[in-house]
Amino acid sequence: MTRTLFTGSPMLRERPLLVPLLALAAGLTGADLSGTLVPFPFAIAALCCLLLSCFIRNSLPVAVCTFVFFLVWGLYALTPWKSPAPSTCTVQRFVAPDPVIVEGIVTSRPVATPVGSNFILRTEAVITEGRAVPVNGAMMVYVSAGDVVLARGDRVRCAARIARPRRLGLPGEFDYPRYLAFQGVGVTGRVATADDIVLMRGAAEASPLRMFDLAARRLGDFIRASVPDNDVSSVLTALLLGDQKRIPEQLNAAYTRAGVNHILSISGFHVGIIAFFIVQLSLLIAVRFEAPALECNLRRLVLLLALPAMVLYLFLTGAAPATARSVIMLVAFVLALYAERETDPVNALLLSALFLLAVNPPSLFDLSFQLSFLALWGIVIAVPPVMERFSAIRRGWLRALLQFVAASCAASFATAVPVLFYFNQASLNGIIANFLIVPLLGYGAVLSGFCALPFVPILAPPAHLLLWLAGKLTALSNRLVLLCAELPLLRFHGITRLDVLLFLGFMCTLTFIRGRRLKVALCALLPSAAIFAHVVVPSAADGRLHVTMLSVGQAESILVRLPNGGTMLVDGGGYLHDTGRDFGERFLGPALFKLGVGRVDRMVMTHAHPDHVGGLPFVARTFPVGEFWEPASGGSGALYDRLRATLAARGVPVRSLAAGDRFEPAPGVDVEVLSPPRRAPHRMEQEPDDTEMNEDSLAFRLRYGDASLLFTADTGFPAEERMLRRDKDLKATVLKVGHHGSRFSTSEAFLDRVAPTIALISAGHGNSFGLPSARTLDLLERRGIRTYRTDRDGTIELVSDGNGWSVTTPYPP
């Protein structure tokens, strides 16, 4: 069938795997976006049609049936992950806020991170009321502290708080439930420390990958013992064993900003370097013996010898998609060379992608798979024509340098659009940084470290020496990366799915279109279409008031877009406790990017509690800020100090507001401050306690025509009493309910005076405070007030033309 497939088109005869791959990818994408999954009999019927079409002389039915079969296969292939078979004894029955004892088999390699560990557990039983209840289903176990010393096949028991993975409901949010579902995981379990996990029986279940897990752990421990510096050893274990999660967050971010984070993922570059080293070393040894040199083709023989070594290394490093793709391409090239067939890098790339998707369909949605595939695609289509144009250059070192520059530029540009789509910023610094980092890590640390690995179990001194050398090279690389990370980044916050689709069309045009005129026309048309789509975007100044309560968990952040296009950000959400992570970078910033915010004209901090100020330092660093508003009582704490330092460094004017202040931020829009009263300067010697800070929160009313919204921050009964005594008119059509719906805010008298028709509550799903309280919800219900909650509805959008409000919830959890 392969011989006769697509005989009607020269391009399709040259690229026989193109149509199957495109159809399979289209089917998988359609199934993921729409949730439409076809039954298995449809896939069987499509296969039968394909087989029958092979008996027809005309190639068109074969081509059509091939496309249909792979499309239908893609629409079916995600069924085990998107719609698993129902079960009456699933572990999801035990989702609860209190821990339960769970027993099961470890089915994934435990991954250590700077803040804990995680692994997948195939649950077998839940111990409740003194008896074991049989269950099934996979659970992602997160260990808050400690390194888990386990391997696949171990039976363990632990006390875990079981929860269903859930989105916050933010624009631009990473789809965590989908990510886990594509690993076959339906619930998560939180364990306090690694000591809380009891090993019931080691190797209770046979696993062919267990020995690779144990070997990787021993090698990783040896590397960390040989190189005590965590910044260095974590990068080395990533380079040699694929264990990237141990790299400290700041160092990992520096590699990303420098544009060289690709080198931390074991992919084609590492595989190629190591395979080349194995081949050269094998040749060096083989030529010392006369018999093999006379009786066989040594070059072909050593190429075959490299394959088992690379397959073993693939499993040792965890078989990540980028590594698997590289090894598959290497196998295809070696077998083609051994069979004396012409090798084609594009066909090898298509083969590896099709094979990976056939084995594991969710790989298509793995970011590392996408970026590594695109980077290599860019290199494959760009480097050969560049080298051909400069064929007059004969000097070996100069030609190698040109090839290196071309490959670096091709990989950077081929991944720029997807990286901008996912992260809203891309680094072209890698074009410069690669000159320094690739020789140090790729040719230096990777080779010396790889040479050390075989010595670890048999002869420690040479291994220590080689790892010492690799460590020195890595330490130098880290210092250079930190310098390169200070260079400016390419930022663009408006990349859409259409842009990505047009970019892929552009790449396909360069690769597969044969006609010169058509290729030139499409290469001009596709970028022009993308530019046109951004030029014709409607103006933000649409004459309407837009209020977006962002679903930021047990925190609060509200974006106001004024009728003239101006923006006001009221609070920035945050974590209740210090986690070492930047809430603004992880959640608030991406949400603002996706909403098209390029500037914050007025940043408003109602008070300095971490769940309100946590994301503001990132916004102040990243976005242009017009001015900063804070209550007259000011604020305190590390986050507040960091925010004020950033604002001062950027020259942002600061306003301290108190009851009685009024502003007109846009024509027809009025802001009236209702609380706190003006008192002592905000930098008091004695810091206020939590309750005092809540009661001194900045509360204000925003009016636009007949539409009005009362922002009450975390005010409680005392602040409400003050406002009731001071202001007779507190009416507002929308009330942002105080203190996340606490029972100690929103008094009946205050609610009567405000008389809202709509109430907004920001609260985290299943929060430990029990917010919003039953008392507050009952009060709102008895008065017939429409109530929207971020824990239930996700992000809430209100729009007014000055007469009334329309409310939507476009990003459900």
Side-chain angles (χ1 to χ4, degrees):
M1 184 178 72
T2 304
R3 181 176 60 84
T4 61
L5 200 59
F6 311 132
T7 55
S9 168
M11 190 271 289
L12 293 180
R13 285 200 305 271
E14 186 180 341
R15 312 283 185 220
L17 299 178
L18 176 60
V19 167
L21 179 61
L22 289 177
L24 179 58
L28 292 171
T29 304
D32 181 56
L33 293 177
S34 68
T36 303
L37 299 169
V38 303
F40 182 66
F42 280 63
I44 296 297
L47 177 61
C48 292
C49 291
L50 174 59
L51 295 175
L52 290 174
S53 69
C54 296
F55 296 98
I56 303 175
R57 286 194 169 190
N58 192 332
S59 63
L60 180 60
V62 181
V64 172
C65 290
T66 300
F67 182 86
V68 170
F69 166 67
F70 281 95
L71 179 68
V72 173
W73 180 16
L75 290 170
Y76 163 76
L78 292 179
T79 300
W81 294 274
K82 302 280 283 187
S83 181
S87 172
T88 58
C89 55
T90 176
V91 70
Q92 296 190 19
R93 292 169 46 204
F94 295 91
V95 171
D98 298 320
V100 295
I101 298 175
V102 184
E103 186 174 305
I105 300 292
V106 177
T107 59
S108 73
R109 178 180 297 183
V111 176
T113 70
V115 293
S117 308
N118 62 77
F119 61 90
I120 297 176
L121 186 74
R122 192 184 72 239
T123 59
E124 294 181 325
V126 169
I127 315 301
T128 178
E129 298 179 355
R131 64 188 183 91
V133 179
V135 296
N136 57 33
M139 177 173 74
M140 179 67 80
V141 179
Y142 290 100
V143 184
S144 299
D147 194 351
V148 175
V149 186
L150 297 169
R152 274 178 266 219
D154 289 341
R155 176 173 282 113
V156 299
R157 182 179 288 185
C158 59
R161 295 194 308 274
I162 302 177
R164 287 188 181 89
R166 193 174 185 272
R167 286 167 42 91
L168 286 173
L170 272 175
E173 179 186 4
F174 175 67
D175 196 339
Y176 180 58
R178 172 175 172 264
Y179 166 76
L180 290 181
F182 283 155
Q183 298 181 67
V185 174
V187 296
T188 62
R190 180 69 63 176
V191 178
T193 68
D195 295 334
D196 295 329
I197 299 174
V198 179
L199 178 63
M200 305 299 293
R201 182 184 173 190
E205 186 173 285
S207 172
L209 299 177
R210 177 182 176 83
M211 65 176 183
F212 292 105
D213 291 351
L214 296 174
R217 189 172 72 201
R218 285 194 293 268
L219 293 172
D221 290 341
F222 189 90
I223 292 171
R224 286 183 284 275
S226 300
V227 185
D229 187 334
N230 183 55
D231 283 356
V232 177
S233 62
S234 61
V235 173
L236 261 183
T237 53
L239 291 172
L240 300 175
L241 301 174
D243 185 5
Q244 298 182 56
K245 300 296 184 180
R246 291 179 183 268
I247 300 176
E249 191 168 339
Q250 289 184 341
L251 182 59
N252 193 43
Y255 269 86
T256 301
R257 290 196 302 273
V260 290
N261 59 323
H262 63 89
I263 203 166
L264 299 177
S265 171
I266 298 177
S267 57
F269 177 75
H270 302 71
V271 170
I273 290 288
I274 293 171
F276 179 78
F277 174 76
I278 292 173
V279 168
Q280 295 302 314
L281 182 62
S282 301
L283 273 176
L284 186 64
I285 296 172
V287 294
R288 306 298 180 194
F289 300 93
E290 185 178 351
L294 293 174
E295 294 179 7
C296 61
N297 186 323
L298 283 182
R299 292 188 178 275
R300 282 208 262 172
L301 179 62
V302 296
L303 280 172
L304 285 179
L305 290 175
L307 294 185
M310 296 317 301
V311 172
L312 290 174
Y313 188 59
L314 168 67
F315 290 112
L316 179 68
T317 57
T323 316
R325 185 260 305 151
S326 305
V327 172
I328 293 169
M329 290 187 68
L330 177 67
V331 170
F333 274 113
V334 169
L335 293 180
L337 289 171
Y338 191 82
E340 297 182 348
R341 296 287 299 273
E342 183 180 353
T343 59
D344 186 304
V346 174
N347 280 338
L349 188 63
L350 294 173
L351 172 64
S352 63
L354 187 61
F355 181 83
L356 283 174
L357 295 184
V359 172
N360 185 31
S363 295
L364 180 65
F365 310 105
D366 186 286
L367 184 57
S368 66
F369 170 84
Q370 296 173 8
L371 295 183
S372 66
F373 183 85
L374 285 170
L376 190 57
W377 188 3
I379 292 171
V380 163
I381 64 174
V383 173
V386 169
M387 299 308 296
E388 184 178 348
R389 180 171 290 273
F390 292 93
S391 58
I393 298 176
R394 299 296 183 185
R395 288 188 179 183
W397 68 269
L398 189 56
R399 191 166 180 81
L401 178 62
L402 175 63
Q403 190 170 28
F404 180 80
V405 172
S408 180
C409 292
S412 297
F413 286 110
T415 55
V417 171
V419 167
L420 284 171
F421 174 73
Y422 283 113
F423 304 111
N424 303 290
Q425 62 184 27
S427 176
L428 300 181
N429 303 334
I431 297 173
I432 300 171
N434 278 331
F435 282 102
L436 305 172
I437 306 306
V438 168
L440 286 172
L441 292 186
Y443 301 118
V446 168
L447 277 182
S448 56
F450 182 77
C451 291
L453 298 184
F455 289 106
V456 169
I458 56 174
L459 200 59
H464 282 299
L465 180 62
L466 289 166
L467 288 172
W468 173 85
L469 175 60
K472 293 299 182 184
L473 294 170
T474 303
L476 178 58
S477 169
N478 287 350
R479 287 194 288 270
L480 293 172
V481 162
L482 291 174
L483 291 175
C484 293
E486 298 301 319
L487 296 173
L489 296 174
L490 171 66
R491 298 184 187 274
F492 187 75
H493 312 311
I495 296 295
T496 64
R497 284 192 172 93
L498 177 62
D499 295 316
V500 175
L501 186 63
L502 292 173
F503 168 74
L504 292 176
F506 180 80
M507 294 283 285
C508 287
T509 299
L510 290 176
T511 311
F512 303 116
I513 299 299
R514 304 290 292 270
R516 181 176 177 81
R517 288 185 178 179
L518 180 59
K519 179 180 287 192
V520 170
L522 288 176
C523 285
L525 177 64
L526 293 172
S528 300
I531 294 171
F532 179 76
H534 287 279
V535 170
V536 298
V537 171
S539 171
D542 62 356
R544 298 184 298 171
L545 178 67
H546 299 257
V547 178
T548 305
M549 175 173 268
L550 298 168
S551 181
V552 289
Q554 189 55 35
E556 192 165 290
S557 182
I558 300 174
L559 174 68
V560 180
R561 285 172 287 188
L562 302 170
N564 66 350
T567 55
M568 177 188 298
L569 180 64
V570 183
D571 288 332
Y575 301 108
L576 290 171
H577 309 287
D578 184 17
T579 64
R581 296 179 175 180
D582 191 327
F583 185 89
E585 184 176 18
R586 288 168 59 85
F587 295 104
L588 182 59
L592 296 178
F593 292 148
K594 289 302 178 185
L595 290 172
V597 176
R599 172 187 170 86
V600 177
D601 295 300
R602 294 165 186 84
M603 177 186 286
V604 183
M605 183 197 75
T606 62
H607 62 300
H609 278 164
D611 57 327
H612 288 251
V613 75
L616 294 183
F618 174 82
V619 175
R621 291 193 311 269
T622 310
F623 293 81
V625 177
E627 60 180 355
F628 175 69
W629 295 0
E630 67 175 5
S633 52
S636 60
L639 283 168
Y640 176 76
D641 292 341
R642 194 184 313 158
L643 171 62
R644 288 300 301 267
T646 303
L647 293 171
R650 302 192 68 178
V652 177
V654 176
R655 286 191 181 187
S656 295
L657 306 182
D661 291 337
R662 300 190 74 142
F663 306 97
E664 189 176 354
V669 179
D670 175 67
V671 171
E672 178 187 3
V673 180
L674 304 175
S675 184
R678 194 170 296 280
R679 294 190 194 139
H682 68 281
R683 299 299 288 172
M684 297 180 292
E685 293 184 6
Q686 184 176 0
E687 293 185 359
D689 59 22
D690 285 351
T691 302
E692 184 179 351
M693 193 178 287
N694 284 338
E695 299 308 329
D696 282 345
S697 295
L698 183 65
F700 60 94
R701 178 171 52 190
L702 184 149
R703 287 177 173 168
Y704 179 51
D706 294 332
S708 54
L709 195 154
L710 182 57
F711 296 81
T712 56
D714 274 2
T715 56
F717 293 153
E720 291 174 1
E721 287 293 331
R722 280 201 313 261
M723 287 186 274
L724 287 170
R725 288 196 302 269
R726 183 185 180 281
D727 296 284
K728 292 183 178 180
D729 178 19
L730 293 176
K731 286 189 178 296
T733 52
V734 178
L735 171 66
K736 200 293 298 179
V737 176
H739 205 180
H740 314 284
S742 165
R743 62 192 177 97
F744 299 110
S745 68
T746 318
S747 67
E748 293 195 36
F750 185 75
L751 197 59
D752 289 339
R753 185 77 64 87
V754 177
T757 58
I758 298 171
L760 307 178
I761 300 176
S762 182
H765 176 75
N767 66 83
S768 58
F769 305 102
L771 298 175
S773 69
R775 174 236 165 232
T776 303
L777 293 175
D778 180 64
L779 186 63
L780 295 169
E781 184 179 2
R782 280 190 282 112
R783 281 165 169 73
I785 300 170
R786 282 190 294 156
T787 303
Y788 296 87
R789 301 161 40 181
T790 58
D791 62 328
R792 184 186 61 193
D793 304 312
T795 292
I796 305 159
E797 290 195 351
L798 297 89
V799 180
S800 175
D801 58 2
N803 295 314
W805 294 97
S806 65
V807 185
T808 58
T809 54
Y811 306 99

